[in-house]
Amino acid sequence: MELSKKEIIEILKSNDKSIFKTADEVRREYVGDGIHLRGLIEFSNICKRNCLYCGLQSANRSVKRYRLSKNEILTLAKKGAKDGYKTIVLQSGEDDFYTTDLLCDIVSEIKSLGVAITLSIGEKNFEEYKAYKEAGADRFLLRIETTDENLYKKMHPYADFANRRRCLYDLKRLGYETGTGCLVGLPEQSVESLADDILFFKELNADMVGIGPFIPHPQTPLKTQPVGNFELAVKVMALTRVILPDINIPATTAMESLREDGRMFALQSGANVIMPNLTDEFHKKMYEIYPNKVSITGLELENKISQTGRFIVSDSCGFRKNN
Ligand code: SAM
């Protein structure tokens, strides 16, 4: 469906909630009732960046830092593959300990388990992205966070908005299924800029879009800022579904952290993906991008999904083209 910026803004500002139902219908028509699970491994919380909103920012001295060895990562990935996950997502802060060679080695070993691989490791150059792709990575997640350049500069000291955009276009050019997304509720963020974010997803022809409500972390400069609005975040997600009908859209953990059953609400408003956390309990607690990060897996998750009349896809990696 084509929507102008003006129409998107009107929907975001109105009290009318019919966009949730529309997105649910579009989701059913284009990608069906199946839910794809992506098993998430948070392999390092060490980060050289200082994103103002993020609990892992390098300026936060209170975080206990960790990085998993290649063997620890492979053990988690093997368990995930054995438990039936068809996609393994490797996520971390921007940690230069993992050289291109080491990452390629990890990627190719996980690839031999017969799963799809998604990387979410931040900004790299074209050659690095190319090497991971050749080693077997299929997808890459890199949220643009916000398309408002002034706000981007305020939220990301010393980072370069143009480089973040460049990364996303490089990933597309290299043939990755490319995921992006934004935060909803950043200080001084306007509804107009959220409309621009949605139009950017369309311009990029993103294959996956993850929307997260901003949740203030107590050890960051944004600790006293108000939490992002849950319904507004779901509206941004629903509009994204309507505008890019056949893509993969996760019901994000941040949504579940803000509202009980927030993820189920998201699944009924356009989402078709869930990313259960496969990281071991000890390290999971240390990967605190925001407080009270929830995690549901296994039977509890399956029960909740079946209550919504949906089912978990177990026989496909869930690429956009297969939807
Ligand atoms: N370093 C990689 C990157 O930049 O893409 C991946 C890890 S980063 C921690 C993953 C995502 O966490 C970010 O894209 C951001 O949107 C989200 N995030 C960080 N802090 C958050 C907060 N306080 N509330 C909600 N989401 C947050």
Side-chain angles (χ1 to χ4, degrees):
M1 192 189 287
E2 295 287 332
L3 286 176
S4 66
K5 181 169 173 183
K6 192 164 162 272
E7 288 167 321
I8 295 174
I9 292 170
E10 265 167 31
I11 295 172
L12 289 175
K13 284 187 171 166
S14 85
N15 287 326
D16 181 7
K17 295 176 185 170
S18 57
I19 189 68
F20 298 143
K21 190 161 177 287
T22 308
D24 196 40
E25 286 162 6
V26 171
R27 186 269 310 151
R28 181 168 301 128
E29 184 184 342
Y30 283 84
V31 299
D33 281 338
I35 292 172
H36 299 282
L37 300 186
R38 322 291 201 199
L40 176 67
I41 299 175
E42 297 160 333
F43 67 92
S44 165
N45 70 353
I46 296 175
C47 191
K48 64 183 179 190
R49 299 214 175 246
N50 247 322
C51 308
L52 252 53
Y53 44 81
C54 185
L56 303 187
Q57 57 175 258
S58 59
N60 183 3
R61 303 277 172 227
S62 315
V63 190
K64 202 158 175 267
R65 303 283 175 173
Y66 73 88
R67 54 167 69 104
L68 301 189
S69 68
K70 176 183 156 187
N71 275 344
E72 287 172 313
I73 299 171
L74 292 179
T75 303
L76 290 171
K78 278 180 193 156
K79 184 170 183 306
K82 194 162 154 273
D83 289 347
Y85 286 94
K86 300 283 176 221
T87 293
I88 297 293
V89 183
L90 297 178
Q91 193 181 85
S92 67
E94 290 203 14
D95 182 357
D96 291 337
F97 168 83
Y98 299 90
T99 59
T100 309
D101 282 350
L102 176 55
L103 274 169
C104 287
D105 200 17
I106 294 168
V107 165
S108 63
E109 290 226 23
I110 295 179
K111 193 70 187 171
S112 69
L113 302 171
V115 293
I117 299 180
T118 306
L119 295 177
S120 175
I121 55 176
E123 296 177 28
K124 304 281 175 180
N125 65 37
F126 184 85
E127 292 307 319
E128 290 167 312
Y129 287 146
K130 186 162 178 272
Y132 313 142
K133 185 83 182 57
E134 284 167 1
D138 303 281
R139 310 187 180 106
F140 204 104
L141 303 177
L142 185 80
R143 288 184 181 169
I144 191 78
E145 314 294 2
T146 173
T147 53
D148 174 341
E149 250 191 281
N150 283 329
L151 181 59
Y152 189 90
K153 273 195 198 118
K154 284 186 196 163
M155 293 293 117
H156 306 95
Y158 310 112
D160 178 12
F161 178 72
N163 192 53
R164 196 128 184 122
R165 268 183 73 102
R166 189 272 308 156
C167 289
L168 286 164
Y169 282 95
D170 277 357
L171 290 163
K172 265 285 188 189
R173 211 171 116 207
L174 284 160
Y176 279 94
E177 284 215 335
T178 305
T180 189
C182 63
L183 283 163
V184 175
L186 290 170
E188 298 172 38
Q189 187 177 38
S190 67
V191 166
E192 286 72 14
S193 85
L194 288 172
D196 286 332
D197 294 350
I198 297 169
L199 292 171
F200 171 72
F201 307 152
K202 172 89 177 167
E203 176 202 301
L204 176 71
N205 188 19
D207 303 294
M208 307 169 280
V209 173
I211 310 293
F214 159 67
I215 303 176
H217 188 289
Q219 286 147 3
T220 65
L222 302 188
K223 62 184 171 201
T224 57
Q225 294 294 328
V227 64
N229 182 295
F230 174 82
E231 277 199 5
L232 185 61
V234 181
K235 258 192 189 177
V236 172
M237 188 200 77
L239 280 160
T240 303
R241 166 62 71 202
V242 167
I243 283 178
L244 285 161
D246 65 338
I247 67 169
N248 285 313
I249 298 185
T252 58
T253 310
M255 288 178 177
E256 183 81 2
S257 300
L258 276 197
R259 184 183 283 195
E260 203 189 335
D261 276 342
R263 210 150 32 174
M264 293 302 133
F265 187 81
L267 284 177
Q268 290 164 313
S269 311
N272 70 322
V273 169
I274 289 191
M275 294 168 66
N277 198 331
L278 307 184
T279 316
D280 60 276
E281 292 304 320
F282 180 72
H283 293 107
K284 200 188 276 181
K285 287 194 195 78
M286 292 186 241
Y287 199 85
E288 198 190 60
I289 49 187
Y290 49 80
N292 304 322
K293 225 176 75 190
V294 296
S295 120
I296 46 168
T297 46
L299 256 188
E300 192 191 349
L301 183 63
E302 281 173 39
N303 286 340
K304 285 197 172 188
I305 287 173
S306 64
Q307 278 162 25
T308 64
R310 307 273 285 280
F311 62 93
I312 293 172
V313 178
S314 56
D315 59 352
S316 123
C317 292
F319 285 104
R320 180 184 188 183
K321 56 184 179 296
N322 299 336
N323 274 327

